[in-house]
Amino acid sequence: MDRSGNAPAYIFYTAGVSAAALVPAVGAVLSRVPGGAPANVIADRSGREIWRYTAPPGQGVANFRTQTYRGKPVLTWWQGSTVGGHGSGVDYLADDHYRVIATVTPGPGLGSDVHEFRLTPDGRALITAYQEIAADLTAIGGPKDGTMFDCIASVVDVATNEVLFQWSAAAHIPLTDTQVPGLLPGNTSYDPYHMNSIALDPAGDLVVSLRNTSAVYDIDAHTGAINWQLGGRNSSFELGPGVQFGFQHDAEFAAPATLRLFNNNSSGPSTLGPSSVQWIRLDLEARRATLVRNQTHPSGLVTVAMGNAQGLPNGNTLVSWGVVPRISEFAPDGELVYDATVPFGSYRAYADPWPP
């Protein structure tokens, strides 16, 4: 179904089983069936593919999109191996002739994670990374001599690969803030935080989403201090009616005082309601969060992992429903104007003109 009018003509997504799907054992099996191997795809709105890139055997790709680097459009994606619901690999930039022009990693000893590779207008990259560390996990019912994944937000200069800033979730967030205290399927290390997006706020600080605390954090990009927290066990804001989300993805500012996020609303074992896209107005002085809009799918879709929302130039919003294999577009009044089915779902999806 397509009533999107003058929206961008092409859809960018990753086909196959994503490293972010949270069930690695199942993902490894499905990746061997026809259409299950991860691939970057550009397709028109009817589903006709105009370009596909499949990674070498044993590697996956994800988070495929267009961005801007040095004033020119580029294609970007993550490529690497799956490690228990996240990834370890390298981030790629390619030009409009599909030639790789740069690769980026988040710093010594760290591999790029699948969840975030976002370019900033001044040539920096925001990258997620997971680092396995020893930890006393008795506070969340785990062993005293256990292992867990710390989540690292890195800011890297693309041209030089110099790390400009790093922030550790384990250094700033109590373990007891997690809402997923047990082991995830297929994992031997605990994952109390699960960082899945990094963006810039209007002041240039970092907006970080931690799925497993059901909270979004604003991080001072110079000191690493937490400016505020939205949601979770220790929200800095009084939450107005309808401001309820859980296990979210893709938190970013849609307007100077309005945060948009993909509200999964489900961890798998626990579902709070349909998944949705939420727009939340933040009054930083009064510390009050007010729901502006909550966009669900007419079918009441619930997706336990992945997902994103993209604001389009015509005011519409493109939505990937993550592990639920749908990509949709909504008008500002909530009308569903585009709805497509893709195999296996997609971590994120974007609509943009191409070639530039």
Side-chain angles (χ1 to χ4, degrees):
M1 183 269 284
D2 186 4
R3 298 194 301 272
S4 55
N6 63 346
Y10 295 104
I11 305 296
F12 298 73
Y13 69 99
T14 305
V17 179
S18 171
L22 289 177
V23 190
V26 175
V29 173
L30 291 177
S31 66
R32 294 191 288 268
V33 307
N40 296 333
V41 174
I42 305 174
D44 66 19
R45 285 178 171 262
S46 71
R48 179 180 63 90
E49 292 186 9
I50 67 167
W51 186 75
R52 172 182 283 254
Y53 167 74
T54 302
Q59 294 191 359
V61 290
N63 200 14
F64 177 53
R65 62 183 298 186
T66 66
Q67 299 197 71
T68 300
Y69 178 60
R70 292 181 169 175
K72 296 183 178 180
V74 290
L75 299 171
T76 65
W77 69 91
W78 168 88
Q79 184 169 314
S81 59
T82 302
V83 185
H86 60 275
S88 180
V90 176
D91 293 307
Y92 285 76
L93 292 83
D95 64 18
D96 56 352
H97 297 288
Y98 308 105
R99 298 175 300 205
V100 173
I101 59 172
T103 58
V104 190
T105 56
L110 296 174
S112 295
D113 167 53
V114 61
H115 287 96
E116 188 65 87
F117 176 45
R118 188 185 301 264
L119 300 180
T120 67
D122 58 358
R124 296 174 296 158
L126 312 180
I127 304 174
T128 50
Y130 283 55
Q131 185 175 48
E132 193 172 45
I133 61 173
D136 180 349
L137 301 170
T138 53
I140 56 173
K144 183 176 181 60
D145 56 349
T147 58
M148 60 171 265
F149 290 111
D150 187 10
C151 291
I152 311 295
S154 293
V155 181
V156 181
D157 182 87
V158 174
T160 64
N161 256 315
E162 178 187 0
V163 178
L164 305 175
F165 176 80
Q166 285 188 328
W167 183 84
S168 156
H172 293 87
I173 310 295
L175 279 176
T176 49
D177 279 11
T178 189
Q179 297 191 12
V180 184
L183 286 169
L184 293 173
N187 278 354
T188 56
S189 290
Y190 286 71
D191 188 5
Y193 305 119
H194 203 83
M195 185 184 295
N196 58 26
S197 75
I198 315 169
L200 294 181
D201 75 3
D205 288 327
L206 303 184
V207 179
V208 173
S209 168
L210 300 186
R211 178 191 192 273
N212 286 354
T213 66
S214 291
V216 178
Y217 305 82
D218 191 81
I219 310 300
D220 187 298
H222 302 286
T223 68
I226 298 174
N227 296 323
W228 50 257
Q229 172 182 334
L230 177 67
R233 301 194 191 280
N234 295 290
S235 182
S236 306
F237 296 88
E238 177 188 352
L239 305 182
V243 181
Q244 175 275 311
F245 59 88
F247 314 103
Q248 75 291 331
H249 287 72
D250 191 28
E252 56 186 292
F253 274 85
T258 302
L259 188 78
R260 183 186 64 229
L261 56 81
F262 183 85
N263 175 24
N264 293 78
N265 229 12
S266 177
S267 65
S270 174
T271 296
L272 306 174
S275 299
S276 66
V277 179
Q278 287 196 353
W279 288 258
I280 302 168
R281 186 175 302 280
L282 302 179
D283 185 331
L284 297 180
E285 290 188 5
R287 294 285 167 151
R288 181 168 176 81
T290 304
L291 184 67
V292 177
R293 177 181 169 193
N294 186 67
Q295 181 66 64
T296 59
H297 192 280
S299 299
L301 302 179
V302 176
T303 182
V304 301
M306 310 193 301
N308 80 302
Q310 177 198 14
L312 300 179
N314 64 359
N316 290 359
T317 304
L318 190 86
V319 182
S320 165
W321 296 96
V323 294
V324 175
R326 303 280 278 276
I327 297 172
S328 308
E329 184 178 331
F330 297 91
D333 64 359
E335 179 189 4
L336 180 66
V337 296
Y338 177 77
D339 204 30
T341 300
V342 293
F344 300 105
S346 181
Y347 171 57
R348 291 176 174 175
Y350 296 90
D352 287 302
W354 194 261

